[in-house]
mmCIF file of all heavy atoms in Angstrom:
data_model
loop_
_atom_site.group_PDB
_atom_site.id
_atom_site.type_symbol
_atom_site.label_atom_id
_atom_site.label_comp_id
_atom_site.label_asym_id
_atom_site.label_seq_id
_atom_site.Cartn_x
_atom_site.Cartn_y
_atom_site.Cartn_z
ATOM 1 N N ALA A 1366 96.920 2.937 65.330
ATOM 2 C CA ALA A 1366 97.472 4.204 65.770
ATOM 3 C C ALA A 1366 97.542 4.165 67.293
ATOM 4 O O ALA A 1366 98.590 4.674 67.848
ATOM 5 C CB ALA A 1366 96.605 5.333 65.265
ATOM 6 N N SER A 1373 104.033 0.729 72.061
ATOM 7 C CA SER A 1373 104.840 0.641 70.872
ATOM 8 C C SER A 1373 105.591 -0.743 70.767
ATOM 9 O O SER A 1373 106.132 -1.091 69.734
ATOM 10 C CB SER A 1373 105.761 1.797 70.726
ATOM 11 O OG SER A 1373 106.614 1.797 71.896
ATOM 12 N N VAL A 1389 108.782 -9.047 69.757
ATOM 13 C CA VAL A 1389 109.198 -9.976 70.800
ATOM 14 C C VAL A 1389 108.204 -9.919 72.021
ATOM 15 O O VAL A 1389 107.857 -11.056 72.535
ATOM 16 C CB VAL A 1389 110.705 -9.663 71.291
ATOM 17 C CG1 VAL A 1389 111.024 -10.627 72.407
ATOM 18 C CG2 VAL A 1389 111.618 -9.863 70.173
ATOM 19 N N ILE A 1393 106.103 -13.241 73.348
ATOM 20 C CA ILE A 1393 106.126 -13.717 74.721
ATOM 21 C C ILE A 1393 104.714 -13.851 75.225
ATOM 22 O O ILE A 1393 104.459 -14.788 75.969
ATOM 23 C CB ILE A 1393 106.960 -12.821 75.550
ATOM 24 C CG1 ILE A 1393 108.494 -12.855 75.117
ATOM 25 C CG2 ILE A 1393 106.914 -13.147 77.012
ATOM 26 C CD1 ILE A 1393 109.344 -11.870 75.835
ATOM 27 N N ALA A 1421 95.739 -48.000 84.354
ATOM 28 C CA ALA A 1421 94.679 -47.998 85.369
ATOM 29 C C ALA A 1421 93.862 -49.247 85.270
ATOM 30 O O ALA A 1421 93.507 -49.779 86.465
ATOM 31 C CB ALA A 1421 93.751 -46.711 85.107
ATOM 32 N N ARG A 1424 95.917 -52.046 86.971
ATOM 33 C CA ARG A 1424 95.918 -52.028 88.452
ATOM 34 C C ARG A 1424 94.644 -52.480 89.009
ATOM 35 O O ARG A 1424 94.520 -53.229 90.014
ATOM 36 C CB ARG A 1424 96.153 -50.578 88.919
ATOM 37 C CG ARG A 1424 96.214 -50.385 90.401
ATOM 38 C CD ARG A 1424 96.507 -48.994 90.791
ATOM 39 N NE ARG A 1424 95.589 -47.953 90.465
ATOM 40 C CZ ARG A 1424 95.569 -46.785 90.798
ATOM 41 N NH1 ARG A 1424 96.545 -46.241 91.350
ATOM 42 N NH2 ARG A 1424 94.576 -45.899 90.397
ATOM 43 N N GLY A 1428 93.800 -56.026 91.285
ATOM 44 C CA GLY A 1428 93.054 -55.932 92.556
ATOM 45 C C GLY A 1428 93.796 -54.952 93.553
ATOM 46 O O GLY A 1428 93.410 -54.916 94.797
ATOM 47 N N THR A 1455 111.708 -35.204 67.764
ATOM 48 C CA THR A 1455 112.942 -34.977 67.001
ATOM 49 C C THR A 1455 112.610 -34.185 65.680
ATOM 50 O O THR A 1455 113.335 -33.180 65.243
ATOM 51 C CB THR A 1455 113.593 -36.167 66.653
ATOM 52 O OG1 THR A 1455 113.945 -36.865 67.913
ATOM 53 C CG2 THR A 1455 114.969 -36.049 65.973
ATOM 54 N N GLU A 1469 115.552 -18.309 61.018
ATOM 55 C CA GLU A 1469 115.489 -18.602 59.540
ATOM 56 C C GLU A 1469 114.015 -18.685 58.998
ATOM 57 O O GLU A 1469 113.783 -18.514 57.845
ATOM 58 C CB GLU A 1469 116.059 -19.991 59.255
ATOM 59 C CG GLU A 1469 117.590 -20.012 59.612
ATOM 60 C CD GLU A 1469 118.183 -21.442 59.433
ATOM 61 O OE1 GLU A 1469 117.407 -22.339 59.066
ATOM 62 O OE2 GLU A 1469 119.358 -21.616 59.611
ATOM 63 N N ASP A 1501 80.967 -36.429 59.851
ATOM 64 C CA ASP A 1501 79.502 -36.427 59.650
ATOM 65 C C ASP A 1501 78.798 -35.510 60.711
ATOM 66 O O ASP A 1501 77.896 -34.824 60.462
ATOM 67 C CB ASP A 1501 78.939 -37.844 59.793
ATOM 68 C CG ASP A 1501 79.390 -38.713 58.594
ATOM 69 O OD1 ASP A 1501 79.689 -38.130 57.598
ATOM 70 O OD2 ASP A 1501 79.406 -39.948 58.749
ATOM 71 N N GLU A 1509 88.738 -34.809 50.808
ATOM 72 C CA GLU A 1509 89.008 -35.901 49.802
ATOM 73 C C GLU A 1509 89.825 -37.026 50.362
ATOM 74 O O GLU A 1509 89.780 -38.154 49.855
ATOM 75 C CB GLU A 1509 89.568 -35.358 48.462
ATOM 76 C CG GLU A 1509 88.580 -34.345 47.864
ATOM 77 C CD GLU A 1509 89.243 -33.755 46.546
ATOM 78 O OE1 GLU A 1509 90.381 -34.175 46.207
ATOM 79 O OE2 GLU A 1509 88.550 -32.993 45.883
ATOM 80 N N VAL A 1514 91.874 -33.493 56.770
ATOM 81 C CA VAL A 1514 91.023 -33.269 57.882
ATOM 82 C C VAL A 1514 91.621 -32.148 58.789
ATOM 83 O O VAL A 1514 92.847 -32.222 59.081
ATOM 84 C CB VAL A 1514 90.908 -34.560 58.667
ATOM 85 C CG1 VAL A 1514 90.102 -34.358 59.987
ATOM 86 C CG2 VAL A 1514 90.255 -35.663 57.818
ATOM 87 N N MET A 1516 92.339 -30.057 62.317
ATOM 88 C CA MET A 1516 92.674 -30.416 63.574
ATOM 89 C C MET A 1516 91.525 -30.516 64.581
ATOM 90 O O MET A 1516 91.460 -31.320 65.446
ATOM 91 C CB MET A 1516 93.769 -29.494 64.220
ATOM 92 C CG MET A 1516 95.119 -29.565 63.497
ATOM 93 S SD MET A 1516 95.952 -31.152 63.685
ATOM 94 C CE MET A 1516 96.537 -31.087 65.323
ATOM 95 N N THR A 1530 91.300 -48.340 71.599
ATOM 96 C CA THR A 1530 92.453 -49.181 71.624
ATOM 97 C C THR A 1530 92.843 -49.526 73.061
ATOM 98 O O THR A 1530 93.215 -50.714 73.397
ATOM 99 C CB THR A 1530 93.624 -48.539 70.879
ATOM 100 O OG1 THR A 1530 93.132 -48.216 69.563
ATOM 101 C CG2 THR A 1530 94.756 -49.512 70.847
ATOM 102 N N GLN A 1533 90.623 -52.163 74.502
ATOM 103 C CA GLN A 1533 90.869 -53.462 73.928
ATOM 104 C C GLN A 1533 92.080 -54.090 74.532
ATOM 105 O O GLN A 1533 92.026 -55.306 74.913
ATOM 106 C CB GLN A 1533 91.121 -53.368 72.435
ATOM 107 C CG GLN A 1533 89.888 -53.007 71.573
ATOM 108 C CD GLN A 1533 90.147 -52.738 70.123
ATOM 109 O OE1 GLN A 1533 91.338 -52.468 69.760
ATOM 110 N NE2 GLN A 1533 89.117 -52.805 69.336
ATOM 111 N N ILE A 1545 91.710 -66.306 87.422
ATOM 112 C CA ILE A 1545 92.199 -66.570 88.755
ATOM 113 C C ILE A 1545 91.186 -66.239 89.779
ATOM 114 O O ILE A 1545 91.004 -67.078 90.689
ATOM 115 C CB ILE A 1545 93.527 -65.812 89.014
ATOM 116 C CG1 ILE A 1545 94.642 -66.308 88.128
ATOM 117 C CG2 ILE A 1545 93.919 -65.937 90.554
ATOM 118 C CD1 ILE A 1545 95.938 -65.552 88.310
ATOM 119 N N MET A 1560 82.525 -66.711 103.812
ATOM 120 C CA MET A 1560 82.734 -65.451 104.522
ATOM 121 C C MET A 1560 84.055 -64.838 104.149
ATOM 122 O O MET A 1560 84.377 -63.670 104.401
ATOM 123 C CB MET A 1560 82.623 -65.570 105.993
ATOM 124 C CG MET A 1560 81.316 -66.172 106.492
ATOM 125 S SD MET A 1560 79.985 -64.996 106.034
ATOM 126 C CE MET A 1560 80.412 -63.557 106.996
ATOM 127 N N VAL A 1566 92.418 -63.805 98.810
ATOM 128 C CA VAL A 1566 93.138 -65.120 98.548
ATOM 129 C C VAL A 1566 93.728 -64.989 97.106
ATOM 130 O O VAL A 1566 94.917 -65.509 96.943
ATOM 131 C CB VAL A 1566 92.175 -66.305 98.709
ATOM 132 C CG1 VAL A 1566 92.915 -67.557 98.321
ATOM 133 C CG2 VAL A 1566 91.534 -66.331 100.042
ATOM 134 N N LEU A 1572 99.575 -61.618 91.776
ATOM 135 C CA LEU A 1572 100.926 -60.869 91.868
ATOM 136 C C LEU A 1572 102.019 -61.884 91.455
ATOM 137 O O LEU A 1572 102.913 -61.452 90.749
ATOM 138 C CB LEU A 1572 101.140 -60.415 93.262
ATOM 139 C CG LEU A 1572 100.263 -59.262 93.773
ATOM 140 C CD1 LEU A 1572 100.639 -58.897 95.173
ATOM 141 C CD2 LEU A 1572 100.510 -57.990 92.861
ATOM 142 N N LEU A 1574 101.708 -64.474 89.440
ATOM 143 C CA LEU A 1574 101.542 -64.693 87.987
ATOM 144 C C LEU A 1574 102.174 -63.519 87.183
ATOM 145 O O LEU A 1574 102.922 -63.703 86.290
ATOM 146 C CB LEU A 1574 100.131 -64.845 87.659
ATOM 147 C CG LEU A 1574 99.829 -64.943 86.105
ATOM 148 C CD1 LEU A 1574 100.447 -66.163 85.476
ATOM 149 C CD2 LEU A 1574 98.349 -64.929 85.850
ATOM 150 N N PHE A 1575 101.888 -62.257 87.773
ATOM 151 C CA PHE A 1575 102.364 -61.077 86.977
ATOM 152 C C PHE A 1575 103.924 -60.991 86.999
ATOM 153 O O PHE A 1575 104.479 -60.663 86.056
ATOM 154 C CB PHE A 1575 101.723 -59.843 87.627
ATOM 155 C CG PHE A 1575 101.880 -58.639 86.790
ATOM 156 C CD1 PHE A 1575 101.228 -58.452 85.607
ATOM 157 C CD2 PHE A 1575 102.689 -57.532 87.229
ATOM 158 C CE1 PHE A 1575 101.468 -57.320 84.852
ATOM 159 C CE2 PHE A 1575 102.836 -56.396 86.583
ATOM 160 C CZ PHE A 1575 102.188 -56.227 85.291
ATOM 161 N N VAL A 1578 105.679 -63.854 84.733
ATOM 162 C CA VAL A 1578 105.654 -63.698 83.314
ATOM 163 C C VAL A 1578 106.313 -62.411 82.952
ATOM 164 O O VAL A 1578 106.254 -61.981 81.764
ATOM 165 C CB VAL A 1578 104.188 -63.731 82.811
ATOM 166 C CG1 VAL A 1578 103.515 -65.022 83.058
ATOM 167 C CG2 VAL A 1578 103.408 -62.613 83.379
ATOM 168 N N SER A 1582 107.300 -55.596 81.892
ATOM 169 C CA SER A 1582 108.043 -55.574 80.675
ATOM 170 C C SER A 1582 107.127 -55.939 79.479
ATOM 171 O O SER A 1582 107.224 -55.187 78.436
ATOM 172 C CB SER A 1582 109.237 -56.629 80.702
ATOM 173 O OG SER A 1582 109.932 -56.561 79.374
ATOM 174 N N THR A 1587 104.067 -54.041 74.913
ATOM 175 C CA THR A 1587 102.839 -54.057 74.144
ATOM 176 C C THR A 1587 102.313 -52.747 73.856
ATOM 177 O O THR A 1587 101.893 -52.332 72.739
ATOM 178 C CB THR A 1587 101.770 -54.793 74.999
ATOM 179 O OG1 THR A 1587 102.060 -56.161 75.223
ATOM 180 C CG2 THR A 1587 100.401 -54.774 74.239
ATOM 181 N N LEU A 1588 102.491 -51.747 74.842
ATOM 182 C CA LEU A 1588 102.115 -50.367 74.556
ATOM 183 C C LEU A 1588 102.902 -49.707 73.533
ATOM 184 O O LEU A 1588 102.446 -49.076 72.587
ATOM 185 C CB LEU A 1588 102.118 -49.638 75.924
ATOM 186 C CG LEU A 1588 101.077 -49.969 76.918
ATOM 187 C CD1 LEU A 1588 101.387 -49.211 78.252
ATOM 188 C CD2 LEU A 1588 99.760 -49.517 76.440
#
Side-chain angles (χ1 to χ4, degrees):
S1373 59
V1389 176
I1393 294 175
R1424 183 175 65 178
T1455 301
E1469 298 176 357
D1501 293 338
E1509 299 180 356
V1514 176
M1516 295 293 286
T1530 304
Q1533 290 175 341
I1545 293 178
M1560 299 301 293
V1566 179
L1572 290 176
L1574 172 65
F1575 193 69
V1578 300
S1582 178
T1587 299
L1588 289 171

